[in-house]
């Protein structure tokens, strides 16, 4: 099998390395004028954003130039911003955000990177401290397990009864999101995983100024960043951690998506 990865960051390097280790003929195309990577079975474009403002992520190359260079292939891994004409070049599209195995592994990388950020900004041991985690999806679950194992008293604020039962089973203290205001002022560390404004202005004002807030969600984030800064809170935005904290492993996980898609094609 031959794979060509176009553009992107260190994740694409990790993707190519993983493909080679699996015995694939894999290259990372630099995209110079006249480049011809040859016939390919699989093509990987940058993820989560393949194109932004019509340019291949990490380059100044237009989407049309990419379409001209990329031939028809069996499998195309792609992120956002890819036009329909590009998608028609593949027999099968690979969308990592729809691959549960990938999402679970990505959550583990995110939690590990978040733990590093928490340790850096807490300026002290976590043992015996109180941590507040908002949201109990994949990332919230992974991070809760790690913080509980380190001896923190972890409070998880979640929406559903099922999530709260899961959090309790993992060793955390569950609290409904509707009652989160009573917890904010007691926390030594706050980690948000919810991409929605769950922190009201009164909640932000109740948080101690020496309590770091680690923001793991994407925009619009769990709080008003400008308001938090105005109050004097320490907010650390850590969106997209896998690509920054462990890009080679994140790239290997992307290759795993391609492998699973190829196996599905062979059935």
């Amino acid at each position: 099998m031959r794979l060509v990865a176009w553009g992107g960051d260190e994740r694409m390097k990790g993707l190519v390395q993983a493909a080679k280790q699996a015995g694939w003929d894999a290259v990372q195309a630099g995209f110079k004028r006249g480049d011809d990577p040859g016939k390919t079975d699989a093509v990987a474009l940058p993820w989560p954003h393949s194109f932004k403002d019509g340019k291949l992520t990490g380059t100044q190359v237009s989407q049309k130039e990419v379409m001209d260079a990329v031939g028809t292939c069996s499998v195309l891994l792609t992120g956002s911003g890819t036009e329909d004409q590009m998608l028609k070049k593949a027999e099968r599209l690979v969308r990592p955000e729809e691959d549960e195995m990938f999402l679970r592994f990505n959550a583990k990388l995110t939690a590990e990177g978040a733990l590093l950020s928490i340790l850096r900004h807490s300026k002290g041991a976590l043992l015996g401290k109180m941590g507040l985690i908002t949201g109990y999806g994949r990332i919230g679950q992974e991070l809760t397990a790690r913080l509980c194992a380190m001896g923190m008293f972890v409070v998880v604020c979640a929406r559903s009864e099922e999530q709260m039962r899961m959090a309790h089973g993992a060793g955390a203290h569950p609290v409904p999101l509707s009652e989160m205001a009573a917890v904010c002022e007691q926390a030594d560390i706050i980690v948000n995983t919810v991409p929605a404004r769950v922190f009201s202005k009164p909640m932000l004002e109740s948080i101690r100024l020496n309590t770091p807030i680690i923001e793991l969600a994407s925009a619009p984030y769990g709080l008003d960043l400008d308001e938090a800064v105005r109050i004097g809170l320490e907010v650390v935005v850590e969106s997209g951690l896998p690509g920054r904290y462990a890009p080679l492993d994140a790239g290997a996980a992307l290759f795993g998506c391609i492998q699973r898609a190829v196996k599905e094609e062979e059935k």
Side-chain angles (χ1 to χ4, degrees):
M1 297 290 288
R2 179 168 170 76
L3 178 147
V4 176
W6 291 93
D9 53 19
E10 284 287 293
R11 272 175 290 202
M12 301 305 269
K13 181 179 178 181
L15 188 155
V16 169
Q17 287 182 356
K20 288 181 176 179
Q21 289 172 0
W24 287 42
D25 176 14
V27 296
Q28 186 170 9
F31 217 109
K32 298 175 184 177
R33 292 292 188 269
D35 268 359
D36 181 7
K39 186 180 183 300
T40 60
D41 298 295
V43 171
L45 297 176
W47 188 88
H49 308 294
S50 295
F51 297 92
K52 186 175 182 180
D53 299 326
K55 304 289 186 180
L56 180 69
T57 300
T59 75
Q60 288 300 309
V61 179
S62 71
Q63 186 153 177
K64 182 180 184 306
E65 289 177 288
V66 178
M67 285 191 287
D68 290 342
V70 175
T72 302
C73 57
S74 298
V75 175
L76 171 64
L77 183 145
T78 182
S80 66
T82 310
E83 295 177 0
D84 290 343
Q85 298 96 312
M86 186 78 197
L87 302 180
K88 292 176 182 177
K89 285 183 170 285
E91 297 174 14
R92 185 181 184 91
L93 296 177
V94 177
R95 302 279 194 181
E97 64 272 19
E98 298 173 0
D99 185 319
E100 183 62 26
M101 287 185 67
F102 169 80
L103 293 174
R104 283 289 173 184
F105 185 75
N106 214 48
K108 293 178 186 295
L109 294 182
T110 299
E112 192 169 322
L115 185 57
L116 183 64
S117 182
I118 291 168
L119 289 167
R120 182 185 302 124
H121 292 93
S122 64
K123 302 180 181 67
L126 302 184
L127 181 65
K129 299 288 178 62
M130 175 183 164
L132 167 61
I133 298 178
T134 55
Y136 200 67
R138 300 179 190 88
I139 295 172
Q141 292 166 26
E142 294 291 344
L143 187 55
T144 295
R146 286 159 176 75
L147 293 178
C148 286
M150 296 184 73
M152 284 197 85
F153 178 77
V154 180
V155 175
V156 171
C157 289
R159 294 185 187 279
S160 71
E161 290 287 341
E162 181 183 0
Q163 288 180 325
M164 287 191 288
R165 282 195 296 271
M166 290 172 61
H168 182 266
H173 180 71
V175 172
L177 272 176
S178 59
E179 300 176 16
M180 190 170 73
V183 185
C184 288
E185 61 185 16
Q186 304 172 44
D188 297 302
I189 299 284
I190 296 175
V191 184
N192 177 63
T193 71
V194 183
R197 295 292 174 85
V198 293
F199 288 89
S200 65
K201 182 179 177 181
M203 287 182 193
L204 292 177
E205 291 176 339
S206 71
I207 297 171
R208 299 195 300 268
L209 295 183
N210 63 342
T211 298
I213 303 172
I214 311 298
E215 177 59 80
L216 299 182
S218 55
Y221 308 115
L223 67 160
D224 185 327
L225 296 180
D226 292 336
E227 182 63 24
V229 170
R230 186 195 66 77
I231 293 171
L233 297 173
E234 179 186 3
V235 181
V236 184
V237 178
E238 294 282 22
S239 304
L241 268 174
R244 296 186 289 112
Y245 166 71
L248 298 183
D249 296 291
L254 290 174
F255 175 65
C257 295
I258 293 176
Q259 284 182 302
R260 288 187 285 276
V262 169
K263 288 180 180 178
E264 285 294 321
E265 283 289 310
E266 293 174 347
K267 288 182 180 180

